[in-house]
């Protein structure tokens, strides 16, 4: 099946992953101007009225660039919607995205309602849903999503446990539509590997965090430079859903990363807001406990997002030349 044009007219086959707190208009504009899909979670725009302002500002900056650089490849914007009972903004946020004709909606956690997928289709938008297993993939396809994001082991934030080869292989057995691979993709080599393994595009999150555009503290940026894959801890303690976090932030919160208690299911509301502080440590999930994927070990400096894209492209083209010679 051929890719929708919104996913095929890119400089690199990359969808930037939405990141709670960290992804704001500065990062999204830099990603889109770098020719890849730029994204942010709707919930990052707070209060809710900010969402309209963010999308207006992003659209204006992209349009201004298009006017002065008519030949530039500018990536489309994607907005992430957390589909969960605790997300009381979902309908209002969706209305704003529809009014702005946001080209790509990324749904997370629960499969979206068919009725709202139809509203996105009505203006020509597409819906990509992220899944960590085959059962969720099938449910989302039944609901009518256009494509899937397979979140494999090693991804930053909420992540799966399956090998990317296993997950892509099983999904490809019944789905030939748009498929994006997520999990520790932090180099151009890994982007090409995602395509070789059966994905159309790579979903890149953590790699964009060590940039001036990400809305995180300088301590957080430095921790990303310092960390290696082995410094990433997988736990459901912080939000009730299993995810990957930086060991250093857990230690700084006064917790023992090697002996974290099992999840308190009452914390599930922390999927849509920064957590109530942990009574023992005072730490808040996402604000103080930093999500990061295993690709963090390939980050060696804080550089602007445009340079991240340049580097990914250089590596991708070199890997393609090395493996395929002049072909492809
Ligand atoms: C700090 C952080 C915050 C995240 N927040 C969200 C979020 O709000 N919504 C979502 O769908 N995924 C979220 N993710 C997951 C990413 O969208 C994506 O699956 C992941 O970053 C890809 O793996 P990588 O970080 O190894 O590249 C987050 C990831 C990180 C690292």
């Amino acid at each position: 099946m051929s890719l929708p044009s919104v996913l095929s007219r890119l400089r690199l086959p990359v969808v930037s992953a939405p990141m709670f707190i960290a992804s704001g208009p500065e990062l999204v504009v830099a990603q889109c101007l770098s020719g890849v899909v730029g994204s942010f979670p709707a919930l990052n725009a707070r209060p809710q009225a900010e969402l309209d302002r963010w999308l207006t500002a992003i659209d204006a900056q992209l349009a201004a660039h298009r006017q002065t650089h008519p030949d530039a490849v500018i990536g489309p914007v994607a907005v992430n919607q957390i589909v969960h009972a605790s997300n009381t903004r979902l309908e209002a946020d969706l209305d704003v995205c529809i009014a702005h004709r946001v080209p790509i909606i990324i749904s997370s956690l629960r499969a979206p309602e068919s009725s709202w997928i139809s509203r996105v289709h009505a203006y020509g938008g597409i819906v990509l849903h992220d899944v960590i297993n085959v059962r969720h993939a099938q449910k989302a396809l039944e609901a009518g999503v256009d494509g899937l994001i397979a979140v494999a082991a090693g991804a930053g934030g909420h992540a799966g446990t399956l090998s990317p080869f296993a997950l892509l292989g099983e999904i490809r057995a019944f789905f030939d539509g748009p498929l994006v691979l997520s999990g520790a993709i932090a180099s151009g080599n890994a982007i090409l590997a995602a395509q070789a393994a059966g994905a159309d595009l790579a979903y890149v999150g953590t790699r964009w965090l060590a940039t001036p555009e990400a809305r995180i503290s300088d301590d957080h940026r430095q921790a990303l430079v310092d960390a290696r894959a082995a410094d990433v801890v997988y736990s459901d303690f912080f939000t009730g859903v299993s995810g990957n976090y930086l060991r250093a932030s857990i230690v700084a919160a006064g917790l023992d990363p090697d002996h974290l208690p099992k999840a308190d299911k009452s914390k599930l509301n922390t999927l849509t807001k920064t957590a109530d502080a942990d009574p023992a440590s005072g730490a808040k999930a996402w604000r103080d406990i930093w999500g990061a994927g295993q690709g963090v070990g390939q980050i060696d400096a804080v550089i602007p997002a445009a340079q991240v894209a340049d580097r990914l492209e250089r590596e991708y083209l070199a890997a393609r030349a090395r493996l395929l010679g002049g072909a492809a």
Side-chain angles (χ1 to χ4, degrees):
M1 188 195 265
S2 62
L3 279 180
S5 62
V6 77
L7 292 176
S8 58
R9 287 201 224 114
L10 300 173
R11 172 177 165 211
L12 266 181
V14 167
V15 176
S16 305
M19 293 182 285
F20 201 44
I21 301 179
S23 310
E26 310 77 15
L27 186 57
V28 174
V29 167
Q31 291 164 335
C32 295
L33 293 185
S34 296
V36 301
V37 178
S39 80
F40 68 95
L43 292 168
N44 279 4
R46 290 167 193 238
Q48 200 268 337
E50 273 298 290
L51 182 59
D52 180 50
R53 287 187 210 111
W54 279 26
L55 285 168
T56 303
I58 292 168
D59 288 345
Q61 287 180 69
L62 299 184
H65 189 84
R66 200 169 286 119
Q67 209 154 41
T68 49
H69 302 79
D71 297 327
V73 178
I74 300 178
V77 176
V79 175
N80 172 225
Q81 307 283 3
I82 306 280
V83 184
H84 186 262
S86 65
N87 185 3
T88 53
R89 285 176 46 167
L90 183 59
E91 286 304 319
D93 286 350
L94 196 65
D95 287 345
V96 175
C97 289
I98 289 169
H100 280 269
R101 305 169 76 90
V102 170
I104 303 169
I105 302 291
I106 296 173
S107 51
S108 304
L109 286 180
R110 306 259 160 89
E113 305 259 336
S114 311
S115 56
W116 71 253
I117 299 176
S118 308
R119 293 175 65 204
V120 175
H121 286 169
Y123 65 81
I126 63 167
V127 178
L128 303 178
H129 184 65
D130 71 16
V131 296
I132 58 167
N133 60 39
V134 164
R135 190 171 57 86
H136 291 167
Q138 282 164 333
K139 275 182 83 167
L141 291 172
E142 278 161 24
V145 301
D146 302 279
L148 296 171
I149 300 163
V151 184
H158 297 144
T161 53
L162 292 177
S163 149
F165 303 118
L167 190 53
L168 287 180
E170 290 193 24
I171 291 175
R172 272 298 183 225
F174 59 86
F175 180 59
D176 70 350
L179 183 54
V180 186
L181 178 65
S182 168
I185 298 180
S187 69
N189 297 24
I191 296 168
L192 187 66
Q195 292 186 302
D200 298 298
L201 302 107
Y203 205 52
V204 179
T206 300
R207 192 67 190 80
W208 298 107
L209 282 176
T211 61
E213 291 92 344
R215 295 185 162 202
I216 61 173
S217 68
D218 286 340
D219 286 348
H220 188 168
R221 270 183 268 272
Q222 188 55 44
L224 291 157
V225 172
D226 295 341
R228 295 289 165 260
D231 300 317
V232 172
V233 175
Y234 189 66
S235 171
D236 65 0
F237 174 63
F238 304 105
T239 68
V241 174
S242 296
N244 282 314
Y245 302 91
L246 276 187
R247 170 177 287 269
S249 64
I250 301 172
V251 173
L255 298 164
D256 177 356
D258 298 317
H259 299 95
L260 289 169
K262 280 299 287 174
D264 171 357
K265 292 293 176 197
S266 69
K267 282 191 177 172
L268 269 170
N269 64 354
T270 62
L271 298 168
T272 53
K273 64 185 182 80
T274 53
D276 296 329
D278 178 67
S281 65
K284 285 189 174 202
W286 304 114
R287 189 201 64 184
D288 303 316
I289 307 294
W290 299 329
Q294 291 176 2
V296 71
Q298 290 159 71
I299 296 175
D300 49 19
V302 177
I303 53 173
Q307 288 181 29
V308 171
D310 289 345
R311 183 165 158 176
L312 291 176
E313 183 184 45
R314 260 196 324 275
E315 293 166 348
Y316 177 78
L317 294 177
R320 222 166 59 163
R322 179 166 53 83
L323 291 174
L324 304 175

